[in-house]
PDB file of all heavy atoms in Angstrom:
ATOM      1  N   MET A  64     -12.385 -14.976  18.195  1.00  0.00           N
ATOM      2  CA  MET A  64     -12.784 -13.585  18.408  1.00  0.00           C
ATOM      3  C   MET A  64     -11.834 -12.925  19.407  1.00  0.00           C
ATOM      4  O   MET A  64     -11.400 -13.533  20.376  1.00  0.00           O
ATOM      5  CB  MET A  64     -14.220 -13.536  18.936  1.00  0.00           C
ATOM      6  CG  MET A  64     -14.814 -12.132  19.060  1.00  0.00           C
ATOM      7  SD  MET A  64     -14.346 -11.254  20.585  1.00  0.00           S
ATOM      8  CE  MET A  64     -15.095 -12.280  21.836  1.00  0.00           C
ATOM      9  N   GLU A  69      -7.814  -6.142  23.490  1.00  0.00           N
ATOM     10  CA  GLU A  69      -6.848  -7.245  23.553  1.00  0.00           C
ATOM     11  C   GLU A  69      -5.750  -7.078  22.511  1.00  0.00           C
ATOM     12  O   GLU A  69      -4.571  -7.335  22.778  1.00  0.00           O
ATOM     13  CB  GLU A  69      -7.566  -8.580  23.354  1.00  0.00           C
ATOM     14  CG  GLU A  69      -8.460  -8.978  24.515  1.00  0.00           C
ATOM     15  CD  GLU A  69      -9.308 -10.196  24.212  1.00  0.00           C
ATOM     16  OE1 GLU A  69      -9.554 -10.471  23.008  1.00  0.00           O
ATOM     17  OE2 GLU A  69      -9.739 -10.866  25.161  1.00  0.00           O
ATOM     18  N   SER A  77       4.338  -6.146  23.989  1.00  0.00           N
ATOM     19  CA  SER A  77       5.516  -6.566  23.214  1.00  0.00           C
ATOM     20  C   SER A  77       5.550  -5.808  21.891  1.00  0.00           C
ATOM     21  O   SER A  77       5.218  -6.361  20.835  1.00  0.00           O
ATOM     22  CB  SER A  77       5.477  -8.077  22.962  1.00  0.00           C
ATOM     23  OG  SER A  77       6.617  -8.498  22.238  1.00  0.00           O
ATOM     24  N   ALA A  81       5.363  -6.497  17.052  1.00  0.00           N
ATOM     25  CA  ALA A  81       4.308  -5.953  16.203  1.00  0.00           C
ATOM     26  C   ALA A  81       4.839  -5.421  14.884  1.00  0.00           C
ATOM     27  O   ALA A  81       4.096  -5.318  13.906  1.00  0.00           O
ATOM     28  CB  ALA A  81       3.552  -4.852  16.937  1.00  0.00           C
ATOM     29  N   ASP A  91       9.936   4.395   9.442  1.00  0.00           N
ATOM     30  CA  ASP A  91       9.435   3.655  10.607  1.00  0.00           C
ATOM     31  C   ASP A  91       8.473   4.505  11.428  1.00  0.00           C
ATOM     32  O   ASP A  91       7.464   4.011  11.949  1.00  0.00           O
ATOM     33  CB  ASP A  91      10.604   3.200  11.486  1.00  0.00           C
ATOM     34  CG  ASP A  91      11.368   2.031  10.876  1.00  0.00           C
ATOM     35  OD1 ASP A  91      10.853   1.425   9.926  1.00  0.00           O
ATOM     36  OD2 ASP A  91      12.478   1.741  11.343  1.00  0.00           O
ATOM     37  N   MET A 120      17.945  -6.436   2.595  1.00  0.00           N
ATOM     38  CA  MET A 120      18.155  -5.663   3.815  1.00  0.00           C
ATOM     39  C   MET A 120      17.204  -6.129   4.910  1.00  0.00           C
ATOM     40  O   MET A 120      17.600  -6.276   6.084  1.00  0.00           O
ATOM     41  CB  MET A 120      17.952  -4.178   3.524  1.00  0.00           C
ATOM     42  CG  MET A 120      18.370  -3.243   4.644  1.00  0.00           C
ATOM     43  SD  MET A 120      18.272  -1.498   4.139  1.00  0.00           S
ATOM     44  CE  MET A 120      16.499  -1.228   4.235  1.00  0.00           C
ATOM     45  N   ALA A 137      14.645 -16.771  11.872  1.00  0.00           N
ATOM     46  CA  ALA A 137      15.082 -17.152  10.531  1.00  0.00           C
ATOM     47  C   ALA A 137      14.203 -16.490   9.475  1.00  0.00           C
ATOM     48  O   ALA A 137      13.157 -15.911   9.781  1.00  0.00           O
ATOM     49  CB  ALA A 137      15.057 -18.667  10.386  1.00  0.00           C
ATOM     50  N   ALA A 149      24.064 -13.721  -2.303  1.00  0.00           N
ATOM     51  CA  ALA A 149      24.640 -13.936  -0.974  1.00  0.00           C
ATOM     52  C   ALA A 149      25.750 -12.925  -0.698  1.00  0.00           C
ATOM     53  O   ALA A 149      25.921 -12.473   0.441  1.00  0.00           O
ATOM     54  CB  ALA A 149      25.172 -15.359  -0.866  1.00  0.00           C
ATOM     55  N   GLU A 150      26.498 -12.562  -1.728  1.00  0.00           N
ATOM     56  CA  GLU A 150      27.566 -11.566  -1.561  1.00  0.00           C
ATOM     57  C   GLU A 150      26.992 -10.217  -1.153  1.00  0.00           C
ATOM     58  O   GLU A 150      27.530  -9.522  -0.284  1.00  0.00           O
ATOM     59  CB  GLU A 150      28.374 -11.423  -2.854  1.00  0.00           C
ATOM     60  CG  GLU A 150      29.207 -12.639  -3.226  1.00  0.00           C
ATOM     61  CD  GLU A 150      28.400 -13.753  -3.849  1.00  0.00           C
ATOM     62  OE1 GLU A 150      27.203 -13.515  -4.165  1.00  0.00           O
ATOM     63  OE2 GLU A 150      28.942 -14.860  -4.011  1.00  0.00           O
ATOM     64  N   LEU A 170      28.698 -13.359  10.788  1.00  0.00           N
ATOM     65  CA  LEU A 170      28.176 -13.309   9.420  1.00  0.00           C
ATOM     66  C   LEU A 170      27.735 -14.694   8.964  1.00  0.00           C
ATOM     67  O   LEU A 170      26.684 -14.845   8.326  1.00  0.00           O
ATOM     68  CB  LEU A 170      29.241 -12.753   8.473  1.00  0.00           C
ATOM     69  CG  LEU A 170      29.492 -11.244   8.541  1.00  0.00           C
ATOM     70  CD1 LEU A 170      30.724 -10.874   7.732  1.00  0.00           C
ATOM     71  CD2 LEU A 170      28.278 -10.466   8.043  1.00  0.00           C
ATOM     72  N   HIS A 178      16.919 -18.991   4.577  1.00  0.00           N
ATOM     73  CA  HIS A 178      16.662 -20.201   3.784  1.00  0.00           C
ATOM     74  C   HIS A 178      16.096 -19.782   2.427  1.00  0.00           C
ATOM     75  O   HIS A 178      14.979 -19.260   2.339  1.00  0.00           O
ATOM     76  CB  HIS A 178      15.702 -21.123   4.523  1.00  0.00           C
ATOM     77  CG  HIS A 178      16.141 -21.441   5.918  1.00  0.00           C
ATOM     78  ND1 HIS A 178      17.061 -22.422   6.216  1.00  0.00           N
ATOM     79  CD2 HIS A 178      15.796 -20.874   7.116  1.00  0.00           C
ATOM     80  CE1 HIS A 178      17.260 -22.479   7.526  1.00  0.00           C
ATOM     81  NE2 HIS A 178      16.511 -21.540   8.092  1.00  0.00           N
ATOM     82  N   ILE A 207       8.842 -13.877   6.006  1.00  0.00           N
ATOM     83  CA  ILE A 207       8.681 -14.549   4.708  1.00  0.00           C
ATOM     84  C   ILE A 207       8.797 -13.487   3.620  1.00  0.00           C
ATOM     85  O   ILE A 207       8.156 -12.434   3.695  1.00  0.00           O
ATOM     86  CB  ILE A 207       7.328 -15.269   4.602  1.00  0.00           C
ATOM     87  CG1 ILE A 207       7.229 -16.389   5.641  1.00  0.00           C
ATOM     88  CG2 ILE A 207       7.134 -15.842   3.201  1.00  0.00           C
ATOM     89  CD1 ILE A 207       5.856 -17.042   5.689  1.00  0.00           C
ATOM     90  N   ALA A 229      -9.275 -15.559 -15.216  1.00  0.00           N
ATOM     91  CA  ALA A 229      -9.919 -16.186 -14.057  1.00  0.00           C
ATOM     92  C   ALA A 229      -8.961 -17.123 -13.343  1.00  0.00           C
ATOM     93  O   ALA A 229      -8.919 -17.168 -12.107  1.00  0.00           O
ATOM     94  CB  ALA A 229     -11.173 -16.939 -14.508  1.00  0.00           C
ATOM     95  N   ARG A 292      -4.730   9.344 -29.718  1.00  0.00           N
ATOM     96  CA  ARG A 292      -3.779   9.321 -28.618  1.00  0.00           C
ATOM     97  C   ARG A 292      -4.524   9.227 -27.299  1.00  0.00           C
ATOM     98  O   ARG A 292      -5.490   9.935 -27.067  1.00  0.00           O
ATOM     99  CB  ARG A 292      -2.905  10.577 -28.631  1.00  0.00           C
ATOM    100  CG  ARG A 292      -2.221  10.834 -29.945  1.00  0.00           C
ATOM    101  CD  ARG A 292      -1.189   9.779 -30.263  1.00  0.00           C
ATOM    102  NE  ARG A 292      -0.022   9.895 -29.407  1.00  0.00           N
ATOM    103  CZ  ARG A 292       1.031   9.122 -29.509  1.00  0.00           C
ATOM    104  NH1 ARG A 292       1.048   8.147 -30.385  1.00  0.00           N
ATOM    105  NH2 ARG A 292       2.062   9.293 -28.700  1.00  0.00           N
ATOM    106  N   THR A 304      -7.811  -6.177  -8.009  1.00  0.00           N
ATOM    107  CA  THR A 304      -8.175  -7.174  -7.004  1.00  0.00           C
ATOM    108  C   THR A 304      -6.981  -7.518  -6.129  1.00  0.00           C
ATOM    109  O   THR A 304      -7.102  -7.633  -4.900  1.00  0.00           O
ATOM    110  CB  THR A 304      -8.724  -8.438  -7.677  1.00  0.00           C
ATOM    111  OG1 THR A 304      -9.849  -8.093  -8.492  1.00  0.00           O
ATOM    112  CG2 THR A 304      -9.155  -9.462  -6.647  1.00  0.00           C
ATOM    113  N   HIS A 318      13.693   9.309  -9.236  1.00  0.00           N
ATOM    114  CA  HIS A 318      13.538  10.758  -9.037  1.00  0.00           C
ATOM    115  C   HIS A 318      14.584  11.495  -9.879  1.00  0.00           C
ATOM    116  O   HIS A 318      14.261  12.146 -10.850  1.00  0.00           O
ATOM    117  CB  HIS A 318      13.673  11.119  -7.561  1.00  0.00           C
ATOM    118  CG  HIS A 318      13.557  12.579  -7.303  1.00  0.00           C
ATOM    119  ND1 HIS A 318      12.383  13.280  -7.513  1.00  0.00           N
ATOM    120  CD2 HIS A 318      14.464  13.508  -6.870  1.00  0.00           C
ATOM    121  CE1 HIS A 318      12.567  14.553  -7.230  1.00  0.00           C
ATOM    122  NE2 HIS A 318      13.817  14.731  -6.829  1.00  0.00           N
ATOM    123  N   THR A 341      18.845   6.836  -1.403  1.00  0.00           N
ATOM    124  CA  THR A 341      19.856   6.339  -2.334  1.00  0.00           C
ATOM    125  C   THR A 341      20.187   4.903  -1.964  1.00  0.00           C
ATOM    126  O   THR A 341      19.888   4.457  -0.850  1.00  0.00           O
ATOM    127  CB  THR A 341      21.143   7.193  -2.284  1.00  0.00           C
ATOM    128  OG1 THR A 341      21.623   7.210  -0.934  1.00  0.00           O
ATOM    129  CG2 THR A 341      20.879   8.608  -2.756  1.00  0.00           C
ATOM    130  N   THR A 359      -0.482  15.067  -0.345  1.00  0.00           N
ATOM    131  CA  THR A 359      -1.803  14.470  -0.511  1.00  0.00           C
ATOM    132  C   THR A 359      -1.916  13.967  -1.937  1.00  0.00           C
ATOM    133  O   THR A 359      -1.372  14.553  -2.864  1.00  0.00           O
ATOM    134  CB  THR A 359      -2.918  15.497  -0.243  1.00  0.00           C
ATOM    135  OG1 THR A 359      -2.745  16.626  -1.118  1.00  0.00           O
ATOM    136  CG2 THR A 359      -2.876  15.970   1.204  1.00  0.00           C
ATOM    137  N   ASN A 374      13.083   6.938 -17.550  1.00  0.00           N
ATOM    138  CA  ASN A 374      13.255   7.985 -18.549  1.00  0.00           C
ATOM    139  C   ASN A 374      12.555   9.291 -18.205  1.00  0.00           C
ATOM    140  O   ASN A 374      12.755  10.286 -18.866  1.00  0.00           O
ATOM    141  CB  ASN A 374      12.753   7.475 -19.909  1.00  0.00           C
ATOM    142  CG  ASN A 374      13.737   6.530 -20.539  1.00  0.00           C
ATOM    143  OD1 ASN A 374      14.580   5.977 -19.844  1.00  0.00           O
ATOM    144  ND2 ASN A 374      13.624   6.321 -21.832  1.00  0.00           N
ATOM    145  N   ALA A 384      14.123  18.366 -28.339  1.00  0.00           N
ATOM    146  CA  ALA A 384      14.775  18.017 -29.601  1.00  0.00           C
ATOM    147  C   ALA A 384      15.800  16.920 -29.424  1.00  0.00           C
ATOM    148  O   ALA A 384      16.143  16.214 -30.370  1.00  0.00           O
ATOM    149  CB  ALA A 384      15.452  19.262 -30.193  1.00  0.00           C
ATOM    150  N   THR A 389      10.806   7.505 -30.347  1.00  0.00           N
ATOM    151  CA  THR A 389      11.099   6.075 -30.314  1.00  0.00           C
ATOM    152  C   THR A 389      10.197   5.298 -31.252  1.00  0.00           C
ATOM    153  O   THR A 389      10.633   4.394 -31.958  1.00  0.00           O
ATOM    154  CB  THR A 389      10.932   5.548 -28.875  1.00  0.00           C
ATOM    155  OG1 THR A 389      11.710   6.359 -28.016  1.00  0.00           O
ATOM    156  CG2 THR A 389      11.355   4.108 -28.763  1.00  0.00           C
ATOM    157  N   TYR A 395      10.602   3.137 -38.676  1.00  0.00           N
ATOM    158  CA  TYR A 395      11.548   3.307 -39.764  1.00  0.00           C
ATOM    159  C   TYR A 395      12.441   2.079 -39.904  1.00  0.00           C
ATOM    160  O   TYR A 395      12.688   1.583 -41.004  1.00  0.00           O
ATOM    161  CB  TYR A 395      12.386   4.558 -39.518  1.00  0.00           C
ATOM    162  CG  TYR A 395      13.585   4.686 -40.434  1.00  0.00           C
ATOM    163  CD1 TYR A 395      13.443   5.132 -41.753  1.00  0.00           C
ATOM    164  CD2 TYR A 395      14.851   4.338 -39.986  1.00  0.00           C
ATOM    165  CE1 TYR A 395      14.534   5.228 -42.587  1.00  0.00           C
ATOM    166  CE2 TYR A 395      15.953   4.430 -40.818  1.00  0.00           C
ATOM    167  CZ  TYR A 395      15.797   4.877 -42.118  1.00  0.00           C
ATOM    168  OH  TYR A 395      16.885   4.968 -42.930  1.00  0.00           O
ATOM    169  N   ALA A 406      13.975  -7.030 -51.258  1.00  0.00           N
ATOM    170  CA  ALA A 406      14.955  -6.875 -52.336  1.00  0.00           C
ATOM    171  C   ALA A 406      15.856  -8.111 -52.427  1.00  0.00           C
ATOM    172  O   ALA A 406      16.185  -8.583 -53.519  1.00  0.00           O
ATOM    173  CB  ALA A 406      15.791  -5.625 -52.094  1.00  0.00           C
ATOM    174  N   LEU A 409      13.991 -10.875 -54.223  1.00  0.00           N
ATOM    175  CA  LEU A 409      13.911 -10.645 -55.658  1.00  0.00           C
ATOM    176  C   LEU A 409      15.210 -11.021 -56.330  1.00  0.00           C
ATOM    177  O   LEU A 409      15.220 -11.598 -57.442  1.00  0.00           O
ATOM    178  CB  LEU A 409      13.571  -9.178 -55.938  1.00  0.00           C
ATOM    179  CG  LEU A 409      12.144  -8.720 -55.552  1.00  0.00           C
ATOM    180  CD1 LEU A 409      12.010  -7.220 -55.783  1.00  0.00           C
ATOM    181  CD2 LEU A 409      11.104  -9.482 -56.378  1.00  0.00           C
TER     182      LEU A 409
END
Side-chain angles (χ1 to χ4, degrees):
M64 186 278 296
E69 290 172 337
S77 181
D91 286 347
M120 190 173 77
E150 292 78 9
L170 285 170
H178 307 278
I207 297 174
R292 307 293 289 182
T304 303
H318 179 66
T341 56
T359 57
N374 284 20
T389 307
Y395 168 78
L409 291 175

